Amino acid sequence: MTTQSSGADWRALDSRHHLHPFTDTRALAAEGGSRIITRGEGVWLWDADGNRILDGMAGLWNVNVGYGRAELADAAYAQMRQLAYYNTFFKTATPPAVELAAKLAAMTGLKHAFFAGSGSEANDTMVRLVRHFWNLEGAPRKKTIVSRLYGYHGSTMAAASLSGLPAMHRQADLPLPGFVHIMPPYAYDCARDGESPQVFAERAAKALEERILELGADTVAAFVAEPIQGSGAVIVPPDGYWDEIQRICARYDVLLVADEVICGFGRTGAWFGSDLLGIRPDLMTLGKAITSGYQPMAALMVGDRVTDTLVDKGEEFYHGFTYSGHPVPAAVALANIALMERERLVERVAQDIAPYFQERLREAFTDHPLVGEVRGVGLLAGMELVEDKATRRHFPKLGQVGSRCRDHSFRCNLVMRAVRDVMVLSPPLVITRDEVDELVGRARQAIDATAKDLGRI
Ligand code: PXG
């Protein structure tokens, strides 16, 4: 196969040999196979059939600086020429890994970095480290980790156990023992009629306290959560939620872990979701936009409480990956962060493009007959498609209307994700106002087409 091959050729070969993640293989083949993406520039993608597509998801929430940034390619090339690989085991390190650890420590306020290749690996590392920590503290019963329904923390055995997705659990007899889930602060779905945001925030946070008391505080190791839930369908917690969560973690001596894999690196208009929401976690997982997706890389940031114990009382920590701190992604991460700083991308999100994006979406959809709620922060947004706006009633078979809308969006050459029946957007941080207008216009076409199918307009 060459780059001259047609989309149809690629699709046929793909269907014959490639098992895709999170995909019903038979259904994909029946629909004619995959869209083959061949090129990217800014917020735009091209497929093998010559279509130009607006990427409203920045890849998988990660291509924050947009496609085609030569300096990230140059950083990878230069590092490969200088030293393509060396490890960080056995008393060695490389300059990019060291420099990145120091940079991330300065950015997050958590002084140590443990590197991994994906968000899932970083979360697995977190589970290993949290268990080791409590053993070293002389509290070997303190092992259960609490996370939330609709949380997504990755797909390895431990990360899938942390994730609050029953469909994932069902296929692999998960969660593993020692992983439990509480309700998310998902007001649209879970708030009672007439319940104020403050009362709901308190009730959702108190779910953590109730679970800790039920399990016994001496058995609960950590609470793990995304500042704003991404894949769960952009669940923005109501004010007060995180303050209460932090009080509860402190009261019962439960470690607090912020999963910043989506929220990190400017997505919310702050460098980290924790900065935006006033969260002071003991540990933080980073991934995705740490390299804007140009190389696979992730990190677990570890604060002093845990490292002090690890270093003072610890023996060797028997954990690590061949590619922990790989110099090429580390060099790319440094170049990516330098680029974001130079172009002031995070400030741009906070002060200019995110307010514009959020306003345009609200203008287009708040009064739309199919849209129950438009929500979001920074360049994260979700539009809830519902059967009845007045009562917030969902469609009976959750997910069907969402996939229909996603298919319409596909035909409009817009990448917009469906989570259940929530249409989700997370464009690159470099998106311009004109491109936001284009994105909102295409999203409107897709949602209107869905509403027409349902006889709602
Ligand atoms: N934490 C969070 C908050 C994530 O969103 C992971 C951990 C795991 O990262 P890795 O690199 O192991 O995938 C994620 C990943 C989607 C989608 O379609 C979201 C993710 C991955 C794939 C698809 O929403 N998030």
Side-chain angles (χ1 to χ4, degrees):
M1 286 301 260
T2 69
T3 47
Q4 304 304 314
S5 301
S6 72
D9 293 339
W10 284 117
R11 269 191 291 283
L13 199 61
D14 182 69
S15 290
R16 278 204 297 281
H17 299 294
H18 187 184
L19 290 173
H20 291 241
F22 284 84
T23 295
D24 176 339
T25 299
R26 186 164 40 177
L28 177 65
E31 281 169 31
S34 304
R35 186 168 227 177
I36 308 294
I37 306 297
T38 53
R39 191 161 76 82
E41 190 66 42
V43 301
W44 298 96
L45 297 167
W46 282 261
D47 71 12
D49 300 306
N51 295 301
R52 181 171 175 262
I53 303 155
L54 178 47
D55 187 3
M57 284 304 298
L60 284 177
W61 323 74
N62 56 342
V63 187
N64 282 12
V65 301
Y67 299 95
R69 305 302 296 250
E71 63 189 277
L72 300 198
D74 292 344
Y77 179 75
Q79 184 57 44
M80 283 183 193
R81 296 288 299 251
Q82 168 83 24
L83 175 68
Y85 174 75
Y86 202 72
N87 68 73
T88 55
F89 286 52
F90 314 134
K91 305 184 185 177
T92 58
T94 60
V98 176
E99 205 182 315
L100 183 60
K103 180 71 189 174
L104 296 174
M107 292 173 81
T108 61
L110 301 173
K111 256 189 351 234
H112 288 83
F114 192 106
F115 291 115
S118 68
S120 301
E121 283 180 13
N123 276 322
D124 255 52
T125 299
M126 179 274 292
V127 171
R128 294 280 309 274
L129 189 55
V130 162
R131 291 183 171 197
H132 183 44
F133 168 79
W134 286 116
N135 286 338
L136 291 171
E137 288 282 288
R141 278 168 48 76
K142 229 168 149 58
K143 289 291 162 55
T144 297
I145 301 188
V146 185
S147 53
R148 300 178 298 188
L149 185 68
Y150 297 150
Y152 187 71
H153 302 287
S155 199
T156 58
M157 292 294 276
S161 296
L162 288 169
S163 298
L165 299 173
M168 244 178 134
H169 291 166
R170 207 168 44 239
Q171 291 181 340
D173 303 330
L174 297 173
L176 297 169
F179 293 86
V180 302
H181 302 86
I182 59 168
M183 69 180 284
Y186 184 7
Y188 191 78
D189 210 44
C190 308
R192 295 175 179 138
D193 287 338
E195 192 174 30
S196 72
Q198 295 89 319
V199 172
F200 175 69
E202 178 135 333
R203 180 162 69 83
K206 282 274 174 358
L208 174 61
E209 183 164 41
E210 282 162 22
R211 187 57 63 89
I212 292 171
L213 292 173
E214 195 181 293
L215 295 162
D218 61 330
T219 69
V220 181
F223 175 65
V224 181
E226 302 155 76
I228 293 165
Q229 280 168 268
S231 304
V234 185
I235 300 173
V236 183
D239 285 350
Y241 175 79
W242 272 107
D243 293 337
E244 189 57 26
I245 287 284
Q246 293 186 92
R247 274 195 287 276
I248 293 165
C249 287
R251 189 174 310 141
Y252 299 102
D253 200 16
V254 166
L255 292 172
L256 177 59
V257 184
D259 183 334
E260 293 269 6
V261 170
I262 284 180
C263 291
F265 301 97
R267 175 62 49 205
T268 69
W271 274 99
F272 299 99
S274 294
D275 300 336
L276 186 80
L277 300 177
I279 306 168
R280 290 167 307 282
D282 297 291
L283 302 115
M284 214 186 242
T285 27
L286 307 178
K288 292 195 187 276
I290 189 172
T291 61
S292 284
Y294 280 61
Q295 285 278 291
M297 161 65 89
L300 175 69
M301 300 308 298
V302 188
D304 285 348
R305 168 139 197 233
V306 174
T307 29
D308 286 354
T309 299
L310 186 76
V311 173
D312 289 350
K313 301 190 190 160
E315 40 174 14
E316 176 175 342
F317 179 37
Y318 298 109
H319 176 70
F321 308 106
T322 302
Y323 295 138
S324 291
H326 192 303
V328 177
V332 172
L334 286 164
N336 175 58
I337 295 166
L339 189 158
M340 290 183 72
E341 286 175 343
R342 199 183 63 242
E343 295 187 354
R344 301 178 60 76
L345 285 185
V346 182
E347 291 84 343
R348 174 176 188 273
V349 172
Q351 288 155 21
D352 177 40
I353 202 67
Y356 185 73
F357 171 73
Q358 296 290 346
E359 196 184 301
R360 291 302 321 275
L361 285 173
R362 279 162 182 75
E363 255 170 46
F365 294 115
T366 304
D367 296 326
H368 195 282
L370 197 56
V371 179
E373 179 179 66
V374 183
R375 58 174 178 263
V377 169
L379 288 179
L380 280 173
M383 277 91 66
E384 189 85 57
L385 308 185
V386 288
E387 189 169 63
D388 185 57
K389 279 174 75 125
T391 60
R392 299 184 309 206
R393 190 175 67 239
H394 292 299
F395 289 99
K397 193 157 188 319
L398 220 50
Q400 249 174 10
V401 171
S403 359
R404 180 183 281 261
C405 185
R406 200 218 17 233
D407 291 345
H408 281 303
S409 169
F410 215 74
R411 282 191 281 277
C412 302
N413 284 328
L414 168 68
V415 183
M416 176 163 66
R417 171 117 156 61
V419 179
R420 303 181 299 282
D421 290 331
V422 186
M423 302 317 295
V424 168
L425 289 164
S426 162
L429 311 191
V430 294
I431 192 168
T432 64
R433 287 184 175 223
D434 285 349
E435 288 164 343
V436 167
D437 293 345
E438 186 66 40
L439 184 160
V440 174
R442 292 184 192 198
R444 176 81 203 215
Q445 272 177 40
I447 292 178
D448 281 353
T450 312
K452 274 202 195 94
D453 293 347
L454 299 169
R456 294 277 290 276
I457 55 173

